[in-house]
Amino acid sequence: MTQTLGTMADLPADYVQGLAEKSVIPLWPSLRSVLPYDMPTRSTLPYAWRYRELRPYVLQAGALAPIERAERRVLVLANPGLGLERMMATPTIYLGLQLILPGESAPNHRHSPSAIRFVIEGSGGFTSVDGQKCPMEKGDLILTPSGVWHEHGHNGTTPVVWLDALDLPLVYGIEASYCIEGKPQSISNAADNSQTYYRRAGLVPYGTLNRRRADYPLVRYPWREVRQALLDLAASLAPSEPAHLAYVNPETGAECLPILGFSAQMLRPGEEGAAQRRSCSAVIHVIEGSGQSEIDGTTIDWEEGDTVAIPTHARVRHQANGKAPAFLFHVDDAPLHRKIGIYEEF
Ligand code: GTQ
C-alpha cells in the first residue's frame, strides 16, 4: 500500500505548467481521490423532501406558471450535496413533483432519458404512451421509456400531482440527452395493457411466443393490484421475510427499464427491517404510512408523500411506525450497476 503519494507541490512549476498547456495532468497526486480505498467518495446526502412542506409550493406553481409556458410544470428535488442546479437526487436519479390541473395538457414529446411517473394525489389524470391511454390513480406507476412518445392530460376535477423519476443525470452526464417535440398522439379507446394482455402474471399475448417481443410491453402498473399483492404476500411469509416486489417486464422477467429499477415494499408494523448495504444509489417514496430510515447512522423520519435520497454504498434500514403497515416505492440504479458489472451487496 502506497503510504504517501507525491503531490503537485513536489513537481517543478514549469513541468506542471508545460503539461497543463498540452491538456495533460499527472495522475499520482489525484490517484486516491479517484480511486479511494474501500469506499467511494460520495457527495450525495441522505435527504428527505417532505411532501407536507412542498405541496403548497407545488400548488402555487399552478398559478405562477401557466402550462403553456412551462411545458412540464415540475419542481425538481435536487440533492443539497450535489448542488441545486445539477438537478440530481442521486448521481443517476432525477426526481420532480409534477402538477397538472383539470383540463390542462402537457404536449407530446419523446426523449433519450427514460422516465416514470408515480402518482401522489388526485384523480382523472392520464399519460398517453405511444397511443395507449394510461389512467393515473394514486400509487400507479407509468413508464415512459427512452424514445417513446408521451403526453399528459387531465379529465378530473382536482389537481393531480405525481413524482417523476428519470435517468436524466446519467444520460445528460454522457452528453446524450435530447428531446423531440411531436404532434398530439392518436389515442386508442382500448384499456391500457395492464387491463388486457398483461392482466395477470404468467399470461402473455399468444402471438409473442413466435414473434419478436416489444421492449416495453407493459407501461402501467396499477397500485390497487400491487398493494393487494403485497398484503397477500406479507400474510403468507414468515414475519422476518421482507414483503418486497419488483416491477418487471412481463415478457422477459427482467427489470422494466435499462438504468433505473423500481419496486414496492410493505413494512409490517413492528417489522425489524434488516440492515442492508448495496452499491447502488436509491430513493424511497412513501406511498402510505409513516416510519423512519436509518441511512449510514442518520435517522430520517418520513410520512406519506415524502421522498428520501439514499447514497451509493450506504447502510440502510427502514421501519414502519405505529399499528398500520407502511408502503414504500423504491427507485434505484441497480439495473445500471448490474449491467456494468459493479453491483454489490455487502
Ligand atoms: O413529463 O415528460 O420531470 O420530459 C422532466 C422532463 C417530466 C415529462 C420531467 C420531462 C417530463
Side-chain angles (χ1 to χ4, degrees):
M1 199 185 264
T2 317
Q3 291 304 332
T4 44
L5 291 166
T7 68
M8 285 296 220
D10 299 337
L11 300 168
D14 61 341
Y15 177 79
V16 172
Q17 177 68 22
L19 286 178
E21 280 163 14
K22 294 166 187 63
S23 292
V24 173
I25 65 160
L27 171 63
W28 58 96
S30 308
L31 180 60
R32 206 57 71 227
S33 109
V34 292
L35 285 174
Y37 285 128
D38 303 323
M39 261 304 257
T41 306
R42 302 160 304 165
S43 300
T44 309
L45 296 175
Y47 186 80
W49 292 272
R50 309 209 173 273
Y51 192 62
R52 187 203 292 268
E53 292 172 8
L54 293 177
R55 186 176 185 275
Y57 289 93
V58 172
L59 296 178
Q60 212 182 333
L64 295 173
I67 194 76
E68 301 76 25
R69 300 199 57 206
E71 204 166 297
R72 298 296 194 260
R73 192 193 285 115
V74 178
L75 297 182
V76 179
L77 310 186
N79 192 294
L82 295 168
L84 285 183
E85 56 305 310
R86 289 171 79 201
M87 299 195 195
M88 296 162 146
T90 79
T92 53
I93 305 172
Y94 159 103
L95 295 177
L97 295 173
Q98 180 159 175
L99 170 71
I100 185 155
L101 297 171
E104 288 183 341
S105 56
N108 192 31
H109 73 186
R110 59 190 173 97
H111 38 68
S112 50
S114 292
I116 64 100
R117 335 274 149 202
F118 194 86
V119 182
I120 300 177
E121 66 167 288
S123 206
F126 61 90
T127 292
S128 298
V129 186
D130 238 350
Q132 199 181 140
K133 185 171 176 176
C134 296
M136 301 176 89
E137 299 304 322
K138 183 174 152 70
D140 288 359
L141 171 67
I142 315 282
L143 311 183
T144 61
S146 176
V148 175
W149 293 110
H150 56 280
E151 61 190 311
H152 312 299
H154 191 343
N155 292 331
T157 55
T158 55
V160 166
V161 181
W162 65 72
L163 181 72
D164 285 316
L166 282 78
D167 54 16
L168 182 65
L170 178 87
V171 180
Y172 181 79
I174 62 171
E175 298 187 344
S177 178
Y178 76 103
C179 175
I180 297 176
E181 207 70 39
K183 293 197 293 284
Q185 297 170 39
S186 42
I187 292 161
S188 155
N189 287 325
D192 72 274
N193 287 354
S194 73
Q195 303 307 302
T196 55
Y197 291 118
Y198 304 96
R199 183 69 189 82
R200 58 162 300 141
L203 295 176
V204 298
Y206 186 77
T208 60
L209 296 177
N210 50 28
R211 67 174 137 75
R212 195 185 165 276
R213 300 182 181 103
D215 288 337
Y216 305 109
L218 181 60
V219 295
R220 175 171 177 249
Y221 298 77
W223 174 241
R224 186 169 41 85
E225 294 169 22
V226 179
R227 188 180 190 279
Q228 191 60 50
L230 285 169
L231 285 167
D232 292 346
L233 175 63
S236 75
L237 293 174
S240 60
E241 290 175 296
H244 194 175
L245 293 170
Y247 295 89
V248 298
N249 177 326
E251 295 277 357
T252 64
E255 297 123 341
C256 44
L257 289 178
I259 309 295
L260 301 182
F262 312 97
S263 60
Q265 181 176 20
M266 176 177 142
L267 293 168
R268 307 159 183 93
E271 179 178 340
E272 276 281 324
Q276 205 188 19
R277 206 184 131 210
R278 309 201 300 158
S279 60
C280 56
S281 70
V283 305
I284 57 161
H285 172 76
V286 184
I287 310 166
E288 195 181 311
S290 63
Q292 62 274 330
S293 300
E294 203 181 294
I295 305 172
D296 280 341
T298 305
T299 300
I300 294 186
D301 293 317
W302 39 256
E303 62 178 12
E304 188 168 322
D306 292 352
T307 305
V308 179
I310 301 170
T312 57
H313 287 252
R315 177 160 294 280
V316 182
R317 201 158 64 100
H318 307 296
Q319 268 187 302
N321 278 343
K323 295 194 166 49
F327 292 90
L328 300 180
F329 174 61
H330 298 256
V331 181
D332 61 47
D333 60 6
L336 173 68
H337 277 226
R338 291 189 191 101
K339 283 194 177 70
I340 64 176
I342 64 166
Y343 184 76
E344 292 182 274
E345 292 179 357
F346 305 90

